[in-house]
Structure formats: structure tokens, C-alpha cells
Amino acid sequence: MDEKPTHLWNYATDKYRDYVTISTNDSTIDVDERVVYIDDLEKRKQAYGICAECKEPGTGVFWCQPCNAKRFKDNFKNWTSGNKVIDEFIQQSQLNALHHDNCLEWIPFEKFQNITFIAEGGFGKVYSAEWSDGYIYYWSISSQEWYRMSSNKYALKSLNNSSDICSDFLNEINSIIHINDIIQCYGITQDPNSKEYMMVLFYCKNGNLRNYLNESNNYINYKSKINQLQKIAKGLLDIHYADKVHKDFHSGNILFNILTPFISDLGMCQPANLKQTNKEEGIYGVLPYVAPEVLRGYQYTKAADIYSFGIIMNEFLSEEIPFDDIPHDGFLAIKICKGFRPTISKNIPKLLVDLIIKCWDAEIKNRPTAKELHQLLKKWDDEIKYIENSEEGINSQNSEIYFQIKECDKIREEKFKNRSNENKPKSFKTHPQAIYTSRLLNFKDLPKSENSLDLSSFQFSSDTNYTAAIPISECLDLQLSELELNEICQDSEHNIE
């Protein structure tokens, strides 16, 4: 008879489920292979142990949900945001929290110091601030008070039109506190001057992906980028595991804290006062990252997030902003539907190029799932680490990904050094009508989604020394004649807003 599997639990950071690695005598099921629910009492006993206060099994050593829910409820009378919808939203998070990551609180604005403007997005502004109290971490039985963790800075994200905030918007924001690997939200506050509500979030010191690339003084090699891409893919996988879609996945919503990327703004790609029943016709997003089928009015799916990942992946590897030299208008939307894609740098390893092309394929069925995406990137990441950490003598030529990244790094690093020697800082000049903040996109009667060419017919670059070769990916740019473009415009122009 086989030995009973052993359940090895991680911290519970999701209200509904947690990932588990199950080991047997013969094999181990990978952490991403199985999802188990933590509302089962026996599993909760294994996961959380016995509460030192109420002595109930399966309620947690550091976080006892029944005990903490009672503490929070007893304190409801001592605070209010002044808005019933927000009060009930925060209260529900506290009553249902199975871990400190799931718990929000109302934070009076006067608790923050040194508030500094950082940037403005499509539906709000972002500030940095200091908060000496810090966020709730666990209940200290010895001192009978909340033990709090404090960081040097926090991010405050204001929400435009949120003085009339709606429950539909908060239901979307609720997704943030139940998913791993995305920016943690600690609570809500309100600017007393503008009356707009603000989300209190983990602060990422390196800003978004574009800031991270632009401000890096050192060459970022493919080993690092593959590692970071698999972390972004893991965050997307967590979102999809929770049966959610991001809907506004672009490089501005990938934030970096040192070398660690986080996904942000899940569910925030719409005005805070926009009720589901009163939505304007159209979708919200950043045009270069929106899948063609979504532009054409079809439902936003997990596959649309994968398309966006492909655009982000190419931007990260190429270090070039997609469609930065042309207006982001209805004409670009037509071209995207006809197969127009951003240029891929010549010196990206072919294996990575192939994955980018699969992600942004016009056919939804041809795109990988988030699970497949993460597994492949993690496989490459593990393979590269294994080779570099092994003793001398291992034949790295047997690893196609390792061989390709080393060859491409030689070329790109030399170019980086030349640019540095010339003291030319990285700068991005964009077309004045290239818009990289979320907005309403409303296009009518766009052409059917298609790929621009037979992707198997790529030529290969002569800039590299290996015959596994890199495609001259500039040919991904759709080449339409002036006559063809005029015909498309005549068919669609009167319907494009």
C-alpha cells in the first residue's frame, strides 16, 4: 500500500485557495500543478496549527481568523471613512481575512507624512508617503495589541471621481487582496482637500518597467530578464488561477522593487464612479497592449492577458516602447487587427522570439496559457541557473537557451558599453499622440483579426555566430501599400470614434 501523501503548506495568502506541493515516495507534484481549498477543516489543521488564545485547531499560530474577526468587529464603532460603501468593504475584508495580506483598514490621512507626487495615470495620481505606524501583521497576545510592520515608504494611489465611488469598482479592487504575486494593498485613505479616496499600496522604489529599464546604469542580461519574466508570468498565473483577468496589462502596471517585479492595478482600469450597468460603450486600456479581438468588441479573456504579456515581453527584451513613433488612434487599431505588431530586436534569442510571437498570435487558440507560459520560462530560468552554478566541465552547448542568451548577450552588452562610453543616456521620444495611460477605446467595425504573414518563413540575422539563428524580426511589421491602407480607411473611417 502506498504511503499517504504529505501536505506541505505555504502561508495562506488567498481567501479561497492556496497552492500545495504534494510529495509521495515516487514523485512530487509541482506547486502549480494542483490547487486545494483551505475551507476543509482537516487541511486547515495541517496548515495553521492551534491558536494559542482560543485553543481551536486549524485557526493559526500568527493569524486566528475567528479571534481576529471578533477583534475587528468590536472596533468597527471606533472608525469610519464617512462612506457606507467603503466602510462595509473594509469591514468585510477584516471579517474574512485568513492572513494579514487579506486585511484592509481605514487609515486617516493625517497618519501620512512627506507626501510626494510621483506620476499620473489614466484614472488617478500616484504619490509616495511615509507611514510610521505601518500595516497590521498579527495580534500580539503578550501585549494585547496589533503588531505592525513598517516600511520606509508607501504608495498612495488617488482615484479620480472617487468621492462618488461605486460598489462595482470596489468589487474589482477586492481582487487585489486575494491574489499572490501582485502589489499588496494595505488600506484606504482620503485626501481631505480633493475628497478623493486613495489606495495605500506597497511602494516599489524602481517604478514601472519602463523606469526600471531607463534608469538602469548597468547592462541587464538575458539571464536576469528571463528570471524576471517568469516572476511576472507567475503573477499572471495567480490572477488566472483565481479566475480573474487583469484587463489592463501593460508595462506601466509592472512595478519593480530592486530586482523583483510585481503586477499592479488589477481591476483599476476604469473610473471609480463607473457602474457596470452604466458603462460607456467601448473598453478601457492602453491601445498597443490590447488584443485585437478585444478591440473588435469581444469579451476580455485570459488569452487577451497573454497577448498583452507578449507585448510586454518584447518591450522588456528589446528595451523599446511599442508603437512609440505613431499616433494611437483608430488607424493603428485597424493595423493591429490586420496583424501589425511591434518590431522585435534582432538580438533577442530565437526561443524567446518564438514565445513572443505565440503570445501575440491573432488566433486565441494558438496563444499559450499562463500556466504553459510560466512553466516554460521557469524551465529556462532553472536550466540557466543549473549550468552557471554547476562545476566546470558541464557542456553548456547542450542547453539551447543558455547558448542563445550567451551569444546575444555578447552583442547587446558591447552596444551597451559603446553607448555608455559616448555618455548618451537612454531616452525615449514618443509621438505626441502616443498615449500610454488607460483611457476609453471605442472603435467600430474593425477588420477581422489575422496574422500579417506566415511566421515560419522568417529569414535569419547574420549578426550572430550561431546557426540556430535569430529571425530578422523587423519583418513582423505589417507592410501595407498606400492603396490597401486607403481601402481599409474608406471601409472603416466613418465608424471610428
Side-chain angles (χ1 to χ4, degrees), residues 4-9 20-23 34 36 43 46:
K4 186 177 180 180
T6 302
H7 297 273
L8 305 175
W9 290 83
V20 60
T21 300
I22 301 175
S23 300
R34 178 169 173 175
V36 293
K43 290 186 173 69
Q46 296 179 52

Side-chain angles (χ1 to χ4, degrees), residues 113-170:
Q113 300 86 37
N114 299 323
I115 300 172
T116 305
F117 174 77
I118 298 177
E120 184 168 7
F123 302 109
K125 300 179 180 68
V126 181
Y127 303 81
S128 66
E130 296 174 3
W131 178 28
S132 57
D133 291 350
Y135 60 91
I136 289 173
Y137 195 62
Y138 65 85
W139 179 259
S140 172
I141 296 176
S142 58
S143 62
Q144 287 295 292
E145 62 181 3
W146 292 111
Y147 178 84
R148 291 176 174 269
M149 295 283 284
S150 183
S151 302
N152 292 330
K153 286 185 180 180
Y154 294 84
L156 304 181
K157 180 154 189 173
S158 70
L159 309 172
N160 294 346
N161 305 312
S162 57
S163 58
D164 185 29
I165 200 166
C166 73
S167 57
D168 289 335
F169 179 85
L170 289 175

Side-chain angles (χ1 to χ4, degrees), residues 297-419:
Y298 288 88
Q299 184 178 1
Y300 205 110
T301 64
K302 294 175 182 178
D305 278 343
I306 299 298
Y307 177 93
S308 302
F309 183 93
I311 304 293
I312 293 167
M313 182 177 175
N314 180 56
E315 180 177 356
F316 191 25
L317 297 175
S318 299
E319 301 191 15
E320 296 178 1
I321 306 174
F323 305 139
D324 63 333
D325 57 346
I326 56 177
H328 294 178
D329 54 13
F331 187 55
L332 175 58
I334 292 171
K335 292 176 70 178
I336 288 172
C337 290
K338 296 292 288 182
F340 188 50
R341 300 290 184 268
T343 298
I344 302 177
S345 172
K346 284 191 281 190
N347 297 314
I348 294 179
K350 183 179 182 299
L351 286 173
L352 296 177
V353 170
D354 291 342
L355 184 56
I356 290 169
I357 293 169
K358 287 179 182 177
C359 288
W360 69 28
D361 196 293
E363 290 287 339
I364 293 177
K365 64 183 180 181
N366 293 337
R367 300 173 198 164
T369 64
K371 180 178 177 180
E372 292 167 342
L373 192 62
H374 175 251
Q375 285 179 336
L376 182 56
L377 287 166
K378 188 174 187 305
K379 173 182 175 293
W380 288 338
D381 184 46
D382 291 343
E383 196 172 308
I384 293 165
K385 288 177 181 176
Y386 174 76
I387 291 173
E388 296 208 332
N389 294 332
S390 297
E391 297 179 0
E392 292 185 16
I394 186 169
N395 186 4
S396 60
Q397 299 286 333
N398 293 333
S399 169
E400 186 176 358
I401 187 62
Y402 188 80
F403 181 52
Q404 288 187 18
I405 67 169
K406 287 303 175 184
E407 292 297 315
C408 292
D409 274 332
K410 289 178 186 177
I411 299 169
R412 290 184 68 93
E413 189 166 12
E414 186 63 32
K415 291 182 178 179
F416 182 88
K417 289 178 181 177
N418 292 337
R419 183 188 62 201

